[in-house]
Amino acid sequence: MSPDFSRRGFLVASLSASGGLLIGLAAPRARAAGPELAQDEVLPAPFAPNLFVAIERDGTTRITCHRSEMGQGVRASLPALIAAELGADLSRIAVVQAPGDAAYGDQNTDGSTSVRLHQDMLRQMGATARALLIAAAAAQWGVAAASLDTVDHAVVHAETGRSLPFGDLVAAAAALPVPDEAPLRSREALRERGIGGGLPFADARAFATGTATYGADPTLPDMRIAVIARPPALGAALESRDAAAALAVPGVESVHVLPAWKTPGRFMPLGGVAVVARSTWAAIQGRKALAPTWSAGPHGGVGSPAEWDGQRAQVDTSGKTFRKVGKADKALAKAAKTVTAVYTVPHLAHATMEPPAALVSVEPERVRVWAPVQAPQRTAAEVARTIGRKAHEVHVEVTFLGGGFGRKSKPDFVSEAAWLSQQIQAPVRVQWTREDDLQHGYYHANAVQRLDAGLDESGRVVAWRHRTAETSIISMFLGPVHGPTAMELGMGALDLPLDLPHVAIEGHTVDEHLRIGWMRSVANINHAFAIQCFVDELAQARGVSTPAQLKELIGPPRLLTKKEAGGKLPNYGVRLDRLPIDVGRWHACIDEVVARSGYGGDAGEGRAFGFAAHASFNTTVAVVVAVARTPAGLPRVDEAWVVAHPGSVLNLDRVKAQMEGAVVFGQSIAVHGEITYTDGIVDQSNYDSYPVVRMGEAPRAVHVHIIDEGLAPGGIGEPGVPPVAPAIANGWAALTGTRVRRLPIAKQRPG
């Protein structure tokens, strides 16, 4: 995406209340994604946002952050980039969280897009503000604008040593015409102002001291609390409930039957029975007293083993072709040797530390919302649809998110609160419990994948066939029975830069029995696990190192083209000429992580190395883990090395933190993560049955190295996750001799 900035794209106005300067930037909206991409639901459509800079007469500068903060540091990184172009003093910057409003453009904090798609526009905002302030000072001093710069919240004239603080210039700057184009600072100048290094993370104090406001924190006078008994199986109907018993619980005031869920569900609530009370405890006790009964529903009698068996049978047959180079089937049949393996990834849950919660007050003239959401505009639209109001009447205030991972971009929990507030004509906070979150969420798509490789007489791979039967996010929008789309297979399968004469990628249709939704890294988790474990198996069969085998498969450094790939390359919503699929980055990351970890040498007593690499969201990541065995006989990542090539870095501290967190997130997936269901009902209910990595299991050290070449930035929040699980599985195979083909490792099954 390369927005066409123009004078009409800028907004400049005097702030009537303060006499300050308000500067905003608007860029034209790009063409939306095609239907198969479900618009911007998984990968937000690449249109530009509006971010605003407000400078008061006293010099105080407010920068509005239009993206949601969930620990990734977006409220530090985005304003700092604008401030660096502006020449502002970060200590005089006040960061304002944007409410949900179309004026800000795309606010969906998903798909690793906050910097990846918006850096140029953010810089242009700061540069335009700088140009106006410099023009005002140049006119006052009678000097050339080119002789001036902005430093530490003032316009300075180096030749004479004069300076004027921003606050003294805002009135004059607001009256000036907006320049057609504002020059951007050089990369070196931005680095001198802290960009690319560690940036202050002001919100960290609020996080650490408990003063940050999360979804369950806002209150209103006369507010009620509601918890909901939801259908245990998707689409099950309510048959009975004991409302009298619930109302007998002290503090419970009312019981309400919510509208039933219908397919395709998109973001609508699941339905059920709500208990409204004066306190959370009373509401929970009232729900227990309800003793509801439910019909079996359309998914009754269906369970995970049967689903997996069906998918396993499918991948032994031909599916819909998504990528075809040469004649893979014939080449495999004629190969001197073939290697085949089948890999299974179960459904997974987001399991955010903060369960969903939302406060809504439905009022005659407006609807007020406080919620930890990743997509505030979508939230407003869904709330409006649920209660029959206009979207512009819904005002969404975004709180901090105690983890998101994609779950909180789906605002069903906010619509529940809105519907109940409308019913009782009072503010309502809907509170989900951990059990609610695990048993009634949106689940990461499971997958069964078969990989076949054909080797010639010399042992080189000449044919590659990848068949996958995986549930699809598209079912959330179009209804059940959908296989993977090009968008989903474009996450690690279609875009894998295989330098082979024969390649086939095929997908199978799968019945969905749970709500499928995107989770951090999306389909990359499935594809990276299967492909990188298979590469390890190929290397073992040939007697070569896994990094060498992977480099041989992907071929020499080059830029991958659609023609070479033999199929569509969605490329995460970005043109290939802006963020190319660069095989050179794979080689750089692989070589660097091998050198830093000592992979191929002695891993140490009781340890073994595992390696994997993957590219997603326009960033390439290679991982080496040193796997050890816990007393319980499970794999533990003792140490990890991560090398990432995102093109360029805005906030090095946050980038490293994201990679460190990705190792723990990926370890949870590899060792523990599994959602199963029986008779359509999810079996897991809390962290005892859906464990995540705890402190005692976490790596004692994660070494992160970032390759920054000053190129267009790729994503950061999601790319670190996919290679972690296969690296652990490969390390476990090296340590124990047991090959992992089905996750999680803690719950191995034969087959």
Side-chain angles (χ1 to χ4, degrees):
M1 182 181 65
S2 179
D4 177 22
F5 298 107
S6 67
R7 288 186 63 179
R8 290 183 299 174
F10 294 92
L11 305 173
V12 181
S14 295
L15 294 174
S16 58
S18 63
L21 176 65
L22 173 66
I23 303 175
L25 170 66
R29 184 168 181 159
R31 179 179 62 84
E36 106 175 309
L37 297 187
Q39 300 299 330
D40 66 341
E41 308 302 345
V42 178
L43 300 174
F47 61 88
N50 285 359
L51 285 174
F52 297 96
V53 179
I55 305 175
E56 304 284 356
R57 282 191 179 276
D58 64 1
T60 299
T61 299
R62 297 195 309 273
I63 297 180
T64 299
C65 180
H66 73 312
R67 292 301 181 101
S68 301
E69 177 62 68
M70 44 193 168
Q72 82 279 36
V74 69
R75 283 168 47 93
S77 302
L78 302 189
L81 183 59
I82 298 172
E85 281 288 356
L86 175 59
D89 177 355
L90 277 177
S91 68
R92 303 186 67 182
I93 296 292
V95 179
V96 179
Q97 187 64 44
D101 195 317
Y104 296 103
D106 173 21
Q107 292 182 270
N108 188 8
T109 312
D110 227 334
S112 289
T113 58
S114 294
V115 175
R116 182 168 65 96
L117 297 187
H118 301 135
Q119 176 175 263
D120 292 346
M121 291 173 290
L122 298 174
R123 293 184 63 188
Q124 194 62 240
M125 291 168 65
T128 301
R130 181 181 77 243
L132 288 166
L133 293 167
I134 284 177
Q140 183 170 329
W141 287 331
V143 300
S147 67
L148 305 179
D149 197 3
T150 53
V151 179
D152 293 335
H153 238 70
V155 176
V156 297
H157 188 225
E159 184 178 341
T160 62
R162 288 180 293 181
S163 69
L164 279 171
F166 285 174
D168 292 355
L169 293 166
V170 293
L176 294 174
V178 180
D180 290 331
E181 183 178 1
L184 299 177
R185 295 191 189 276
S186 68
R187 174 177 168 80
E188 291 71 24
L190 289 179
R191 282 196 173 278
E192 290 174 359
R193 289 162 172 79
I195 299 304
L199 296 172
F201 191 13
D203 292 326
R205 179 174 294 275
F207 297 156
T209 59
T211 57
T213 298
Y214 291 92
D217 291 329
T219 61
L220 287 174
D222 208 29
M223 181 182 78
R224 309 301 201 276
I225 309 297
V227 296
I228 300 170
R230 298 174 184 84
L234 188 62
L238 178 67
E239 291 187 335
S240 69
R241 78 278 189 192
D242 192 345
L247 290 167
V249 174
V252 172
E253 294 186 344
S254 58
V255 174
H256 306 267
V257 177
L258 279 73
W261 180 87
K262 298 178 181 178
T263 184
R266 288 182 58 88
F267 309 109
M268 72 179 297
L270 285 169
V273 187
V275 176
V276 179
R278 285 286 180 175
S279 70
T280 305
W281 178 252
I284 291 174
Q285 297 308 306
R287 180 172 67 174
K288 289 181 180 178
L290 273 177
T293 61
W294 311 87
S295 70
H299 305 287
V302 181
S304 298
E307 179 182 34
W308 288 332
D309 289 345
Q311 290 171 267
R312 176 63 182 85
Q314 283 181 300
V315 296
D316 286 338
T317 64
S318 298
K320 178 182 176 181
T321 299
F322 286 85
R323 176 177 174 183
K324 183 178 181 181
V325 178
K327 299 178 180 179
D329 289 347
K330 290 184 178 180
L332 286 166
K334 295 179 180 179
K337 179 180 179 181
T338 59
V339 178
T340 297
V342 176
Y343 302 91
T344 300
V345 178
H347 291 293
L348 300 167
H350 303 83
T352 59
M353 189 60 66
E354 174 201 38
L359 170 61
V360 179
S361 178
V362 176
E363 301 163 5
E365 300 300 325
R366 61 178 177 172
V367 179
R368 293 187 291 162
V369 173
W370 291 263
V373 292
Q374 294 175 241
Q377 292 178 43
R378 178 186 299 149
T379 298
E382 288 298 312
V383 165
R385 182 195 60 78
T386 300
I387 62 175
R389 299 286 287 265
K390 301 294 185 182
H392 67 81
E393 298 177 305
V394 182
H395 183 83
V396 179
E397 292 287 350
V398 181
T399 67
F400 287 120
L401 281 64
F405 310 133
R407 171 58 182 99
K408 291 168 186 170
S409 61
K410 310 166 187 71
D412 54 324
F413 59 99
V414 187
S415 293
E416 290 174 335
W419 188 87
L420 287 167
S421 176
Q422 186 180 60
Q423 297 300 303
I424 70 170
Q425 299 183 30
V428 173
R429 190 185 87 216
V430 163
Q431 180 65 60
W432 286 48
T433 64
R434 175 63 55 211
E435 290 80 5
D436 295 335
D437 181 43
L438 283 174
Q439 297 196 306
H440 304 293
Y442 289 82
Y443 302 99
H444 174 72
N446 78 324
V448 177
Q449 301 169 82
R450 171 174 167 163
L451 284 145
D452 298 274
L455 284 62
D456 63 16
E457 290 78 3
S458 68
R460 291 182 64 88
V461 178
V462 294
W464 176 282
R465 186 174 64 202
H466 184 175
R467 289 174 175 164
T468 177
E470 57 190 89
T471 46
S472 174
I473 292 167
I474 300 303
S475 64
M476 185 166 65
F477 302 98
L478 301 179
V481 191
H482 288 278
T485 63
M487 176 270 298
E488 288 159 308
L489 289 177
M491 298 181 179
L494 300 181
D495 55 343
L496 180 65
L498 292 168
D499 185 29
L500 300 173
H502 305 283
V503 178
I505 311 293
E506 300 172 3
H508 284 276
T509 296
V510 177
D511 294 345
E512 290 89 0
H513 304 289
L514 302 174
R515 287 200 298 182
I516 306 301
W518 49 90
M519 190 183 82
R520 183 182 186 182
S521 304
V522 208
N524 288 289
I525 292 173
N526 301 342
H527 303 146
F529 174 68
I531 292 168
Q532 294 302 309
C533 286
F534 190 58
V535 171
D536 193 63
E537 293 202 46
L538 282 172
Q540 187 178 50
R542 296 183 60 210
V544 300
S545 76
T546 305
Q549 177 64 79
L550 179 57
K551 289 170 68 175
E552 181 181 301
L553 287 168
I554 63 176
R558 66 196 185 283
L559 300 184
L560 192 70
T561 64
K562 290 184 178 181
K563 181 179 180 180
E564 180 185 350
K568 185 176 182 181
L569 292 175
N571 202 34
Y572 302 93
V574 183
R575 293 199 317 260
L576 281 171
D577 61 347
R578 181 174 185 268
L579 286 171
I581 298 173
D582 187 347
V583 185
R585 296 192 188 188
W586 285 75
H587 284 263
C589 289
I590 292 168
D591 292 343
E592 190 70 30
V593 82
V594 167
R596 289 177 175 270
S597 65
Y599 180 91
D602 183 7
E605 182 66 26
R607 306 196 322 174
F609 285 130
F611 162 87
H614 188 77
S616 63
F617 299 93
N618 311 117
T619 291
T620 305
V621 179
V623 172
V624 169
V625 294
V627 177
R629 192 195 306 257
T630 69
L634 295 176
R636 180 179 70 84
V637 177
D638 185 58
E639 199 169 1
W641 294 262
V642 180
V643 173
H645 193 324
S648 63
V649 169
L650 169 54
N651 186 342
L652 185 60
D653 284 349
R654 290 297 92 204
V655 170
K656 287 185 173 180
Q658 286 291 295
M659 294 299 158
E660 291 165 351
V663 171
V664 177
F665 195 92
Q667 184 180 348
S668 292
I669 291 170
V671 181
H672 301 298
E674 182 181 48
I675 289 291
T676 60
Y677 58 95
T678 304
D679 293 331
I681 301 172
V682 171
D683 300 316
Q684 292 72 28
S685 61
N686 211 312
Y687 286 131
D688 59 339
S689 51
Y690 191 85
V692 296
V693 167
R694 300 191 178 210
M695 290 179 68
E697 300 173 90
R700 64 179 177 84
V702 178
H703 312 280
V704 179
H705 176 71
I706 306 299
I707 301 174
D708 184 346
E709 295 186 342
L711 305 173
I716 292 298
E718 308 191 63
V721 173
V724 175
I728 294 171
N730 294 338
W732 187 245
L735 182 68
T736 67
T738 301
R739 177 60 62 180
V740 176
R741 291 178 175 171
R742 184 190 295 270
L743 295 180
I745 300 173
K747 299 180 181 179
Q748 284 294 300
R749 301 178 188 81

